[in-house]
Amino acid sequence: MEKYTPMMQQYLEVKKNYQDALVFYRLGDFYEMFFDDAKIASSELDLVLTGRNAGVKERVPMCGVPFHAVTGYIQRLVQKGYKVAIVEQMEDPALAKGLVRRDVIKVVTPGTVIDELFDERSSIYLAAVVDIQYALVLSVCEMSTGETKLLRIPRNALRLQQTLLKNNIREMVVKEGFDEKLIRAVRDLSAVAISYCSEDQIAEEYLPLCEALRELPEREAYGIMLNYLTETQKRMMRHLQPVEIENENDVLYMDFSTQQNLELVTPLRTQSKSETLWSFLDHCQSAMGSRLLKKWIERPLVDRKKIAFRQDRIEYLMQNFMVREDLKDLLGGIYDLERLIARVAYGSANAIDCQRLQKTIAQIPQMLALFEGAPVFQEYAGIDCCRELNDLLEGAFVETPPVSVKEGGMFAEGFSAQLDEYRSIQKDGKNWILQQENKEKERTGIKTLKIGYNRVFGYYIEVSKGAAAQVKEEYGYVRKQTLTNAERYITQELKEREDAILHAQERAVRLESELFANLLEQIRSYLPKLQKLSMMLAHLDVFRSLAALCSDYGYVRPQFTEDELEIVEGRHPILERVSGHQYVANSLHMDKNSQILIITGPNMGGKSTYMRQAALIILMAQMGCFVPAKSCRMPVFDKIFTRIGASDDILSGQSTFMVEMTEANNALSLATDRSLILFDEIGRGTSTYDGMALAQAMIEYIAVCIHAKTLFSTHYHELTALDESLPAVSNVHVEVHEENDDITLLYRVKKGKADRSYGINVARLAHLPEAVLDRAKELLRELESKKRVVQQSLGIVEMVKAPVKEQAILDQLEQVDVNQLTPMMALQMIMDLQQQLKEKK
């Protein structure tokens, strides 16, 4: 340390406390990185690596980025999982004695991004996780909006991974000593950073936000989250919303693979630009509307009243075209209020943000006027529109204010009399000097008198040597400098004016900063009201977006039944819009007597599309949306499980078959008689007879033990015989028109089983060599002569459903390390396990 220059010593002192972050050290107009940080940054950001003399023999590795473009660089690093500590000057260089003091003003981490968000429609979460031996408690926060929720999940590595991926959690915060096996499971994801924080005390100012948290582990998780945020952000998080406890049973359960298989918010192939349900439904005018719609898609409802509540609002807007169009125009003039609020609360807002805030709240009274006399929107009638705040902000800023608060020049004339005076002094300074010169000439009678300026003396009055004798004492001139041909003087009035002119700019900027800080403080007093308004705007945006789509495409309102599922002429919402040819609608009917549909037919015939279509219609219905069908009657489902597509899980080194069996096990373990299961060609990853045996056993287990509604597509035509021994099983097939060896796929689903699989005919469509096709036909004839018939076992009635909840409780107990439990935790565990058993009954 002693060998380095004072500046480098200061850098090393700061870096010592941020070993896990890349330190961006502000020097002038650049953020510089040194040593290993510089090597990493130059590699990741394609920067030139240079060196700097720092008092030692070897030059210190160094690279830098301009301060005005730093956000883009931080975005790229954070997306790759790095943390960035930003170091700024902590004092005015003009007032500093010696080296200017510098320190970290905030640490940007993968889970705490606000200004560095890559996509304004995306939501990135941070989770603090507490291990209570028999379960995991997660406190989850979205920093850019202040949304905070609390989850409890089984203590299971796979479940933890699924939860992190489902909720787009980019950073997990734990205490030192957290279970290493769980840490390794999270590291396998690579998309989730792991951080540590040991402090779990909740500061007094946050206590009103966590009144819903009663149990110690919940408060511990919330406390860790708060302390980590305080540690990295170096300020109070005033925009945090009250914590919500999320119960899995309040929404339609889907695991991460189901969300992926159905392409709800991300395409199945990451490089693909194919449409997802979210991108298809999203016609929102604002980013906050888009984010809310995404939540609706990921968490459909299971409460009929809540579903009807959404349906009523969408229906009203479908029926009132002019209201819908006027609302669209008004929503087009709003900004992302959720994130504007966060920036104001956080202290990173600028004048442009305040302008946008004002323009947004100015639209609200007109919006609400559209719904006067509409009973379905009655709850918005008494909402506070923050008119006083609008009056405060309206006209406060110039038309195009600067991006930086430090530059000044943001407030409009008339906002502050003092500021106007400073500006007037700046503007009129030169005029005053000219007027003063003429005034002095007239007063003294000295024609050669002039007023000049230099950096050493400031403003001065200069009189030629010949006229110096005319200077009288009553003029108040004080001699300051003698030149060969002139004398220079100053006066009290000139010095006062000089001080005013020279410091007016500086004082104006300082005053603007103070005025802006005061204005932000006034806006902060409206935060709870603004958060309610942002929630209302997001909902109106989503209702309008869905109403427009449902109206344009002729969607119908689904009706809810106790058990019967009947979709008449249902359509795949996305494919019907993007397919070049006429889309073929298909119906689906299931009830207590027909709970399992075995779907047969050739590849490319539309089996997978038919299954996905059913799942998407059900999902849209439980979001509260209307659906693409002639009519739809359905029960409210509690869970959806899918096994569609064949892809190896390269990440965990699992084969297609292993992934298939894992996902099938998930469905068979967790499904109830109110669930929907979609199995697409289960068993194809192993030998024919193995696969067929497993497929048959699964169908029998679902029929006898689970009674879930199941769509089961297969190429094992032998399985179609199960309808003879299992009353709950029915057969449907995709229709094919055959002429000679050529087939035409009709994409229509009909009752009954397919005659055969048409694999060779489809191969002909793909133009395989004729010799291959002829040989395949010969082999097929030979194999069909030895065809195996499905085993009609009577033993299936003896199948018993695995006691999932009891087994889950036994699994939890088995994982508990008794030595890690305090007496209080042990009592809490017994209460929780008892509650789980009661819920089962």
Side-chain angles (χ1 to χ4, degrees):
M1 288 285 286
E2 294 307 316
K3 297 178 186 175
Y4 289 109
T5 58
M7 189 282 292
M8 192 54 70
Q9 285 184 41
Q10 186 188 60
Y11 166 83
L12 290 168
E13 197 60 41
V14 171
K15 176 66 184 174
K16 189 168 68 179
N17 298 319
Y18 296 92
Q19 293 297 323
D20 64 339
L22 301 177
V23 172
F24 274 43
Y25 190 80
R26 180 76 179 265
L27 288 175
D29 288 342
F30 279 79
Y31 285 101
E32 304 289 3
M33 287 140 278
F34 302 105
F35 300 101
D36 288 345
D37 287 6
K39 292 176 184 176
I40 292 168
S42 69
S43 169
E44 296 286 8
L45 301 172
D46 301 321
L47 301 173
V48 177
L49 187 67
T50 60
R52 182 187 181 99
N53 293 323
V56 292
K57 284 183 182 177
E58 291 183 12
R59 284 162 65 85
V60 168
M62 178 182 102
C63 69
V65 298
F67 83 96
H68 58 81
V70 72
T71 302
Y73 290 106
I74 293 174
Q75 270 178 359
R76 285 164 63 188
L77 288 171
V78 169
Q79 278 185 315
K80 293 179 179 186
Y82 293 101
K83 299 177 187 177
V84 178
I86 299 169
V87 177
E88 294 281 5
Q89 294 177 345
M90 304 304 284
E91 55 186 344
D92 187 338
L95 305 174
K97 293 179 180 176
L99 192 65
V100 176
R101 188 168 62 83
R102 292 178 175 83
D103 207 347
V104 173
I105 58 156
K106 75 168 176 174
V107 183
V108 184
T109 72
T112 61
V113 289
I114 294 185
D115 300 325
E116 300 80 13
L117 270 165
F118 194 69
D119 175 12
E120 60 181 12
R121 298 191 315 148
S122 66
S123 298
I124 288 172
Y125 292 87
L126 167 115
V129 184
V130 169
D131 180 3
I132 54 173
Q133 295 298 310
Y134 59 96
L136 296 172
V137 179
L138 288 80
S139 182
V140 180
C141 177
E142 212 284 321
M143 266 295 283
S144 70
T145 61
E147 174 199 349
T148 314
K149 58 189 176 183
L150 195 110
L151 321 171
R152 184 180 290 228
I153 60 169
R155 191 183 188 278
N156 173 295
L158 182 63
R159 195 61 180 277
L160 177 60
Q161 286 180 323
Q162 292 255 341
T163 303
L164 296 176
L165 291 170
K166 262 176 71 173
N167 290 281
N168 201 23
I169 292 167
R170 296 291 180 84
E171 186 173 10
M172 181 176 91
V173 187
V174 294
K175 283 187 174 182
E176 291 285 352
F178 191 81
D179 189 314
E180 196 53 43
K181 283 183 186 173
L182 295 173
I183 294 280
R184 277 201 301 273
V186 174
R187 284 209 175 103
D188 284 344
L189 296 176
S190 72
V192 182
I194 297 167
S195 302
Y196 294 88
C197 179
S198 298
E199 185 58 56
D200 61 17
Q201 288 299 307
I202 300 172
E204 194 176 335
E205 53 265 34
Y206 295 112
L207 289 174
L209 300 177
C210 61
E211 287 172 353
L213 306 183
R214 298 273 181 256
E215 295 177 16
L216 196 63
E218 294 175 348
R219 297 180 78 83
E220 185 184 346
Y222 188 67
I224 291 171
M225 182 199 82
L226 286 176
N227 283 289
Y228 182 73
L229 291 177
T230 304
E231 186 185 304
T232 55
Q233 306 309 297
K234 311 287 183 186
R235 67 196 81 190
M236 184 185 170
M237 266 58 64
R238 299 189 193 199
H239 68 299
L240 291 187
Q241 297 175 29
V243 64
E244 288 182 21
I245 298 177
E246 192 170 280
N247 189 332
E248 238 175 34
N249 299 325
D250 291 344
V251 294
L252 174 70
Y253 173 81
M254 292 178 284
D255 58 22
F256 181 64
S257 56
T258 296
Q259 289 186 349
Q260 279 192 308
N261 286 334
L262 295 176
E263 297 189 286
L264 298 185
V265 294
T266 51
L268 209 46
R269 288 166 292 282
T270 48
Q271 299 306 312
S272 165
K273 289 186 179 178
S274 60
E275 191 106 62
T276 63
L277 184 64
W278 181 33
S279 62
F280 173 74
L281 295 178
D282 185 12
H283 294 275
C284 293
Q285 299 296 299
S286 68
M288 57 184 169
S290 296
R291 291 194 300 271
L292 179 64
L293 177 62
K294 185 185 178 194
K295 282 181 201 166
W296 284 17
I297 292 168
E298 292 174 328
R299 295 175 178 80
L301 302 170
V302 293
D303 184 318
R304 292 188 186 203
K305 282 186 180 175
K306 289 179 181 175
I307 294 170
F309 177 89
R310 290 181 184 175
Q311 288 178 330
D312 290 344
R313 278 144 191 76
I314 290 169
E315 188 165 41
Y316 177 84
L317 288 169
M318 286 173 72
Q319 292 169 350
N320 291 271
F321 174 78
M322 290 310 297
V323 172
R324 194 169 80 230
E325 287 303 297
D326 289 347
L327 181 60
K328 181 183 177 181
D329 292 342
L330 290 167
L331 285 167
I334 70 167
Y335 293 90
D336 192 343
L337 188 56
E338 269 186 335
R339 288 190 171 156
L340 289 175
I341 294 167
R343 283 204 281 274
V344 167
Y346 192 77
S348 62
N350 58 21
I352 297 168
D353 292 327
C354 292
Q355 262 187 340
R356 289 175 172 177
L357 177 64
Q358 185 272 321
K359 285 174 182 173
T360 301
I361 56 178
Q363 306 277 18
I364 293 172
Q366 290 172 267
M367 277 188 213
L368 294 179
L370 295 174
F371 301 109
E372 281 177 14
V376 290
F377 286 101
Q378 197 57 44
E379 78 271 19
Y380 297 144
I383 199 163
D384 189 333
C385 298
C386 300
R387 289 176 188 270
E388 303 91 343
L389 179 60
N390 180 62
D391 295 344
L392 176 68
L393 294 174
E394 194 173 16
F397 301 99
V398 296
E399 197 171 324
T400 51
V403 173
S404 171
V405 175
K406 294 175 183 175
E407 289 176 21
M410 55 186 153
F411 285 107
E413 195 174 328
F415 184 79
S416 161
Q418 183 69 65
L419 182 61
D420 289 348
E421 189 182 330
Y422 287 148
R423 286 178 177 171
S424 177
I425 291 167
Q426 285 174 253
K427 187 179 173 183
D428 300 337
K430 287 181 180 177
N431 292 338
W432 186 88
I433 294 293
L434 199 60
Q435 288 168 9
Q436 190 68 10
E437 187 178 290
N438 292 330
K439 184 179 162 188
E440 289 299 318
K441 279 180 182 177
E442 199 176 314
R443 184 164 75 104
T444 61
I446 302 170
K447 302 292 183 192
T448 57
L449 182 149
K450 62 181 179 182
I451 296 179
Y453 172 83
N454 71 27
R455 283 189 171 184
V456 179
F457 297 118
Y459 285 100
Y460 55 82
I461 294 170
E462 186 175 289
V463 178
S464 63
K465 268 275 200 274
Q470 296 177 42
V471 174
K472 297 177 183 175
E473 195 175 329
E474 61 260 29
Y475 296 163
Y477 286 13
V478 178
R479 185 183 281 112
K480 197 69 183 169
Q481 189 181 21
T482 301
L483 302 176
T484 51
N485 59 351
E487 294 286 347
R488 286 179 177 174
Y489 305 90
I490 58 170
T491 66
Q492 186 63 32
E493 186 183 12
L494 191 61
K495 280 292 121 187
E496 283 173 6
R497 181 57 66 163
E498 174 195 300
D499 187 57
I501 293 168
L502 294 183
H503 294 96
Q505 169 72 24
E506 183 188 320
R507 286 171 181 163
V509 170
R510 193 181 303 133
L511 178 60
E512 284 207 61
S513 290
E514 288 170 16
L515 291 170
F516 190 70
N518 290 338
L519 190 63
L520 287 188
E521 202 54 51
Q522 286 177 273
I523 299 171
R524 286 185 193 117
S525 66
Y526 288 89
L527 282 183
K529 291 177 182 176
L530 289 171
Q531 284 174 332
K532 281 183 184 173
L533 288 176
S534 72
M535 202 170 290
M536 179 193 77
L537 289 173
H539 277 81
L540 287 175
D541 203 358
V542 176
F543 288 138
R544 190 220 60 84
S545 171
L546 294 178
L549 181 119
C550 295
S551 182
D552 291 348
Y553 297 156
Y555 289 1
V556 298
R557 180 169 179 159
Q559 306 299 316
F560 291 99
T561 65
E562 284 309 309
D563 184 77
E564 188 183 12
L565 169 62
E566 184 185 44
I567 300 169
V568 178
E569 292 188 24
R571 311 184 299 277
H572 189 294
I574 301 166
L575 286 183
E576 76 157 331
R577 309 313 317 172
V578 299
S579 59
H581 49 80
Q582 186 68 36
Y583 186 82
V584 179
N586 278 301
S587 299
L588 171 67
H589 185 268
M590 302 175 87
D591 54 28
K592 282 186 178 174
N593 301 320
S594 175
Q595 290 173 335
I596 301 173
L597 288 188
I598 294 179
I599 310 166
T600 48
N603 283 323
M604 296 168 53
K607 298 191 300 297
S608 296
T609 300
Y610 182 64
M611 295 167 78
R612 288 175 196 271
Q613 170 181 309
L616 292 178
I617 286 173
I618 287 164
L619 217 145
M620 287 169 69
Q622 291 191 217
M623 275 170 57
C625 186
F626 285 35
V627 299
K630 196 171 184 180
S631 69
C632 174
R633 295 169 66 249
M634 56 173 273
V636 173
F637 289 90
D638 63 350
K639 300 181 178 85
I640 295 181
F641 300 96
T642 64
R643 173 55 210 161
I644 301 175
S647 58
D648 287 11
D649 189 345
I650 298 163
L651 188 70
S652 57
Q654 291 185 330
S655 67
T656 301
F657 184 65
M658 187 60 191
V659 173
E660 195 171 81
M661 291 302 105
T662 303
E663 290 180 8
N665 174 57
N666 205 24
L668 297 177
S669 301
L670 299 175
T672 71
D673 59 354
R674 295 191 301 115
S675 302
L676 176 72
I677 299 175
L678 307 180
F679 279 168
D680 189 16
E681 297 183 36
I682 281 281
R684 64 181 158 185
T686 185
S687 73
T688 303
Y689 294 150
D690 264 1
M692 197 190 304
L694 280 164
Q696 180 178 342
M698 285 183 198
I699 292 170
E700 291 173 350
Y701 185 71
I702 294 167
V704 175
C705 302
I706 302 177
H707 311 294
K709 294 205 168 28
T710 305
L711 299 179
F712 198 108
S713 81
T714 185
H715 282 294
Y716 301 135
H717 286 259
E718 296 83 351
L719 295 178
T720 56
L722 284 172
D723 66 343
E724 295 167 23
S725 58
L726 293 169
V729 173
S730 302
N731 285 306
V732 296
H733 68 281
V734 287
E735 201 178 359
V736 172
H737 175 70
E738 187 177 6
E739 197 169 306
N740 301 323
D741 279 339
D742 294 325
I743 60 166
T744 305
L745 304 170
L746 301 177
Y747 306 107
R748 186 167 293 285
V749 177
K750 289 206 154 189
K751 284 184 179 179
K753 56 191 176 185
D755 302 329
R756 53 196 182 85
S757 67
Y758 300 99
I760 294 171
N761 306 75
V762 174
R764 188 179 298 282
L765 288 177
H767 305 296
L768 257 68
E770 205 64 41
V772 173
L773 297 172
D774 290 342
R775 176 62 177 148
K777 279 163 74 176
E778 279 177 38
L779 291 169
L780 181 62
R781 276 194 292 271
E782 194 178 321
L783 290 167
E784 282 181 336
S785 65
K786 304 169 186 174
K787 199 166 187 180
R788 179 179 179 275
V789 180
V790 69
Q791 178 66 40
Q792 295 289 0
S793 167
L794 297 176
I796 56 173
V797 292
E798 295 165 17
M799 290 175 99
V800 178
K801 187 176 181 186
V804 178
K805 289 219 170 171
E806 288 89 334
Q807 189 57 51
I809 289 167
L810 288 172
D811 290 344
Q812 288 178 45
L813 284 170
E814 198 175 342
Q815 289 190 47
V816 172
D817 181 351
V818 180
N819 296 320
Q820 297 290 326
L821 287 181
T822 63
M824 197 68 192
M825 285 170 72
L827 282 171
Q828 186 65 54
M829 179 182 79
I830 293 167
M831 286 167 63
D832 287 347
L833 297 180
Q834 273 187 336
Q835 185 60 36
Q836 287 181 41
L837 285 169
K838 283 176 187 170
E839 283 173 9
K840 173 189 176 291
K841 290 168 186 171

